Amino acid sequence: MLTELSIRDFAIIEEISITFTEGLTVLTGETGAGKSIIIDAIQLLAGGRGSVEFVRHGSKKSEIEGLFIIDNHTHPIYDVAKQFGVDIQDGQIVLERTITASGKSICRVNSKLVTLAILKEFGQKLIDIHSQHETQVLMNADNHLDFLDMYEPNLIKKAKEEYTILFERLTTLKNRYKQLNENEQEMAHRLDLLEFQKNEIEQANLAPNEDHELEEERNSLVNFEKIYSSLTNAYNALYGEGRALDWLNKALVSMEENLKVDPFIQENSEKLANHYYTLEDFAYELRNRLDSLQFNPERLNEIESRLNEINRLKKKYGGSVNEVIEYLAKVEEEIEELTNKDTHLTSLLMQIEELEKDALLEAKQLHDIRKKLADQLTKAVESEFKDLYLEKASFSIAFSLDEDHNQNPKLHKNGFDKIQFLISTNPGEPLKVLNKVASGGELSRIMLVLKKLFAKHQGVTSVIFDEVDTGVSGRVAQAMAEKIHQISHDSQVLCITHLPQVAAMADTHKFIKKEEKYNRTVSTVKELTMDEQIKELSRMITGTKLTDTAKEHAKELLDLASNFKQTIS
């Protein structure tokens, strides 16, 4: 869960640090106080798109940090961390995001610099933000398949992975077939280019690792004097009268003359002898190396010329000689393919047909799993509807597909399924797509139902609702408050709300306030006591003036919330 959030110089926030706990945390305050700005900051922390507009006026940068505690050691975040080489200790993950006034975005995970895309990979596993925009996403039928797959991701994960592998291979083969089928003139030009590249590389007559070997040899010739002087000095220090080996020999003779006199001498004489013979062998190696050294300026010129030729080829075809040789092999393979184009086209077509059959089988397996998931999700959604006063509504998931000229299902990256969520909110009315029949309040309730159902399966540690209760009131608002609290049993929930029913359900209530400080507008956050919570709920009920009736109503809401929590605990 999100434990600590630190925000500096972000929009109207100068500097705040917020501590979050488990359960349901509600954020309330006047419109414009900065509630949604805090959610914007969390969204950026999860990899959302940033803008220089977020940087507080007069500041060089905005900084956001979030500390997450992961108690479950099998959480998918550990796989993400392993994939990107991020170390997680004591179940703690710190996400950091800095946006400079010049527009640069700097991202870190546990102090390691990462790209925005990698930060997003972590954020998606930790945070799920629901805003009014996401309700619009629900209305787009193109997104419904993703919603269905999120219901029981573990059941469908393996089948999707197996299908994806086949589909990517199939796409690669189809692209290759299309390239080979291009017009003759383009193929002729391509063949001429490949022949030129082949001849150019072959004429160089490259040997594996030749560049490295030549560079080592050149280094020896360029540094000949230093190498010769170093080896000579080392040899002279070891060999000769009055040198190291001579003195070691005297020490060895002295020890061997008194082997029987002292146990220590007897024990260490052989050790000294081994050192002596090792150094003697090394001195011979130094002498042999010195005898083999020759300075050849003509050879140095040959090496320089050869390396220039090799470097020219490396700039065009690879970073090393070995890569250039590998490129030559690919060129020869493509030349052979283009020269015998018809044969390869026939072979590719056969491979495509076989792979399409396999992919269709995998897509069919995906379809069967989705049909079962759709039945489960439909029953679960309609059951949840009853709690939100949509008991007369009907929900269904309609499957369809596109067919090719052979009446086979057309494959896409997710199989061949196309689905739509259908709903009927009144008895006797036919099922229709969401955007044709659902009001804003109904869409909010549908999205909340889906969030509750998905919260158990997605493993997300923090679910954030930004005014999810838009368009509802009365008993529906109370029902939504209860549903939001139920979600907090499976995931930490942060919720911005204007409804007193939702705010009363909070385990922790934080109040966002906007005020002037040194002629600048700043936002502050305060955790409310029980008395302060009653006053805030009263304000939310009446709008402005605090009345005794409003306070009594606020207390009733808190009592109602407390009784509800006891019934589900």
Side-chain angles (χ1 to χ4, degrees), residues 120-131:
K120 191 172 184 178
E121 290 282 341
F122 280 87
Q124 288 176 338
K125 292 290 186 291
L126 296 170
I127 305 168
D128 181 18
I129 299 177
H130 170 64
S131 62

Side-chain angles (χ1 to χ4, degrees), residues 132-151:
Q132 295 181 41
H133 165 73
E134 192 173 354
T135 303
Q136 300 305 312
V137 172
L138 177 62
M139 294 176 69
N140 186 347
D142 292 339
N143 300 314
H144 291 176
L145 191 62
D146 292 331
F147 277 108
L148 177 61
D149 288 352
M150 283 192 294
Y151 180 53

Side-chain angles (χ1 to χ4, degrees), residues 14-75:
E14 183 179 32
E15 182 172 2
I16 61 172
S17 182
I18 311 174
T19 299
F20 294 104
T21 56
E22 293 181 346
L24 172 61
T25 297
V26 163
L27 307 175
T28 66
E30 297 286 356
T31 301
K35 302 184 298 298
S36 291
I37 292 175
I38 293 174
I39 304 303
D40 289 339
I42 297 175
Q43 199 152 22
L44 287 179
L45 203 59
R49 295 184 63 181
S51 167
V52 293
E53 300 298 323
F54 286 122
V55 180
R56 184 172 167 80
H57 177 68
S59 301
K60 294 181 179 179
K61 59 185 178 180
S62 291
E63 296 177 291
I64 310 162
E65 296 180 11
L67 169 64
F68 295 82
I69 304 296
I70 311 298
D71 295 327
N72 180 7
H73 294 292
T74 63
H75 192 280

Side-chain angles (χ1 to χ4, degrees), residues 237-262:
L238 290 173
Y239 201 81
E241 188 176 349
R243 305 299 169 86
L245 282 171
D246 188 27
W247 284 105
L248 275 174
N249 184 55
K250 289 177 182 179
L252 181 60
V253 170
S254 178
M255 295 276 279
E256 289 177 342
E257 287 176 350
N258 297 283
L259 285 175
K260 298 180 181 180
V261 176
D262 183 62

Side-chain angles (χ1 to χ4, degrees), residues 80-318:
V80 177
K82 185 178 180 180
Q83 179 183 355
F84 296 110
V86 173
D87 186 32
I88 299 178
Q89 294 184 352
D90 300 324
Q92 296 187 1
I93 300 172
V94 178
L95 303 186
E96 301 175 59
R97 180 83 178 270
T98 299
I99 299 175
T100 67
S102 61
K104 292 183 179 178
S105 184
I106 303 166
C107 309
R108 289 184 174 88
V109 178
N110 282 1
S111 299
K112 179 178 179 177
L113 278 170
V114 297
T115 63
L116 180 59
I118 293 175
L119 182 70
K120 191 172 184 178
E121 290 282 341
F122 280 87
Q124 288 176 338
K125 292 290 186 291
L126 296 170
I127 305 168
D128 181 18
I129 299 177
H130 170 64
S131 62
Q132 295 181 41
H133 165 73
E134 192 173 354
T135 303
Q136 300 305 312
V137 172
L138 177 62
M139 294 176 69
N140 186 347
D142 292 339
N143 300 314
H144 291 176
L145 191 62
D146 292 331
F147 277 108
L148 177 61
D149 288 352
M150 283 192 294
Y151 180 53
E152 286 280 7
N154 291 333
L155 289 180
I156 203 168
K157 180 181 178 182
K158 185 178 179 181
K160 285 187 75 170
E161 288 175 349
E162 291 175 353
Y163 172 79
T164 299
I165 292 171
L166 290 177
F167 182 75
E168 288 176 351
R169 284 172 54 194
L170 182 61
T171 302
T172 301
L173 287 179
K174 286 183 174 180
N175 289 338
R176 187 63 192 139
Y177 184 86
K178 182 180 178 182
Q179 290 171 358
L180 277 176
N181 243 346
E182 290 176 349
N183 66 62
E184 293 294 330
Q185 188 175 10
E186 289 182 1
M187 287 295 100
H189 289 162
R190 177 65 178 166
L191 193 56
D192 287 344
L193 174 63
L194 293 171
E195 289 286 1
F196 171 79
Q197 293 176 339
K198 176 176 178 288
N199 292 334
E200 185 176 35
I201 298 173
E202 284 182 339
Q203 286 172 8
N205 196 25
L206 299 172
N209 299 314
E210 183 181 357
D211 49 347
H212 298 306
E213 293 171 2
L214 287 174
E215 286 167 359
E216 288 179 5
E217 188 178 353
R218 179 183 64 179
N219 185 60
S220 295
L221 289 171
V222 168
N223 296 286
F224 178 83
E225 290 185 6
K226 292 180 181 178
I227 295 170
Y228 188 85
S229 175
S230 177
L231 295 177
T232 300
N233 291 336
Y235 178 75
N236 289 336
L238 290 173
Y239 201 81
E241 188 176 349
R243 305 299 169 86
L245 282 171
D246 188 27
W247 284 105
L248 275 174
N249 184 55
K250 289 177 182 179
L252 181 60
V253 170
S254 178
M255 295 276 279
E256 289 177 342
E257 287 176 350
N258 297 283
L259 285 175
K260 298 180 181 180
V261 176
D262 183 62
F264 177 83
I265 294 175
Q266 187 176 19
E267 182 181 339
N268 289 280
S269 176
E270 184 177 351
K271 186 186 296 183
L272 180 60
N274 290 335
H275 289 322
Y276 173 79
Y277 294 130
T278 299
L279 284 174
E280 187 177 45
D281 289 341
F282 181 61
Y284 293 150
E285 289 180 23
L286 287 173
R287 186 184 65 191
N288 291 335
R289 177 60 177 157
L290 282 166
D291 291 342
S292 67
L293 284 177
Q294 290 183 348
F295 180 68
N296 186 345
E298 293 181 0
R299 175 58 181 162
L300 183 58
N301 291 334
E302 289 175 4
I303 291 173
E304 293 289 1
S305 176
R306 179 63 171 168
L307 282 174
N308 286 337
E309 181 183 8
I310 288 173
N311 288 333
R312 182 179 62 82
L313 292 174
K314 283 162 66 173
K315 287 180 180 178
K316 297 173 69 174
Y317 304 119

